[in-house]
Amino acid sequence: MNRIGEMKAYLETEKEAFLQKRLSEMAQACSKSCGESGKDLCCVMERLALREGGVFGISFLRSSYITGKHVFYVAHYLDDPFVEEAPEAVCLSIAGLFDKAEADSAALAEKLEGKFIRMYPGIREEIRRWYLDGLYERMDGVFTELLRDMWKEEGREVLYGGYMGEQKILGRI
């Protein structure tokens, strides 16, 4: 196992605790008051819903956590997701939900300093990206909460996952 792999294995339990706490807090913040993030997402979805048929996709962009912008690609596909050449789409930032997540990744890197020597900035960045990727992968519950007022029994599917990656069904609007 390489050094980064050893570090990630050492942090796995703590990473999972941070992820569960952060996802719970994000979902709670959305259920109390969706705030601007929820309003913006609902407005985008309503505008995209003007087109008939198809499916909606909410995709996280890996470049987004690298830049720290926390932007998600929200699209309406009339054809298969990611195959359609020019879907109606918007890039939406929900950076306000990620303030504490950045602190979590810093805390994970700090924990490594007690166990491993030579904590270079590149290692800290790798740990940050590893943590945020795990958070993005599991944010389906947060988006479910942000769209809670739009869900219907019948309607068009809303998918969530990584851009150009595996998607799961969140519900229908």
Side-chain angles (χ1 to χ4, degrees), residues 77 79-87 164:
Y77 299 98
D79 200 359
D80 293 331
F82 311 119
V83 175
E84 184 176 335
E85 288 191 29
M164 299 289 282

Side-chain angles (χ1 to χ4, degrees), residues 1-156:
M1 185 181 287
N2 66 21
R3 186 165 189 252
I4 294 288
E6 289 175 23
M7 291 176 170
K8 289 177 180 177
Y10 175 72
L11 291 174
E12 191 63 46
T13 303
E14 191 145 354
K15 174 192 171 191
E16 186 61 31
F18 274 123
L19 286 173
Q20 288 180 4
K21 180 180 180 187
R22 195 60 49 228
L23 289 165
S24 174
E25 286 180 2
M26 287 174 155
Q28 272 185 339
C30 294
S31 67
K32 288 180 183 170
S33 166
C34 279
E36 291 306 310
S37 297
K39 289 177 189 164
D40 291 346
L41 180 60
C42 289
C43 288
V44 166
M45 297 298 275
E46 286 171 357
R47 192 186 91 219
L48 294 176
L50 295 175
R51 291 174 55 186
E52 293 294 320
V55 299
F56 297 97
I58 302 172
S59 304
F60 60 88
L61 306 170
R62 286 187 167 78
S63 62
S64 181
Y65 60 73
I66 292 169
T67 62
K69 302 287 184 195
H70 306 293
V71 172
F72 290 77
Y73 183 75
V74 183
H76 179 240
Y77 299 98
L78 296 175
D79 200 359
D80 293 331
F82 311 119
V83 175
E84 184 176 335
E85 288 191 29
E88 181 92 18
V90 172
C91 289
L92 178 69
S93 175
I94 57 170
L97 290 175
F98 286 88
D99 293 338
K100 292 181 181 177
E102 293 289 347
D104 292 347
S105 63
L108 289 170
E110 291 295 321
K111 181 171 172 108
L112 287 176
E113 289 183 1
K115 174 88 171 153
F116 296 88
I117 58 172
R118 296 184 317 268
M119 285 294 295
Y120 299 117
I123 293 171
R124 294 176 79 79
E125 181 60 19
E126 174 64 25
I127 296 303
R128 177 184 169 276
R129 291 179 186 184
W130 172 67
Y131 173 72
L132 289 173
D133 187 60
L135 187 60
Y136 276 38
E137 288 278 347
R138 294 170 51 182
M139 284 190 61
D140 52 322
V142 174
F143 284 102
T144 299
E145 191 58 42
L146 283 170
L147 294 170
R148 72 177 180 268
D149 294 334
M150 295 185 76
W151 295 124
K152 299 176 184 174
E153 290 295 317
E154 298 294 320
R156 294 173 276 176

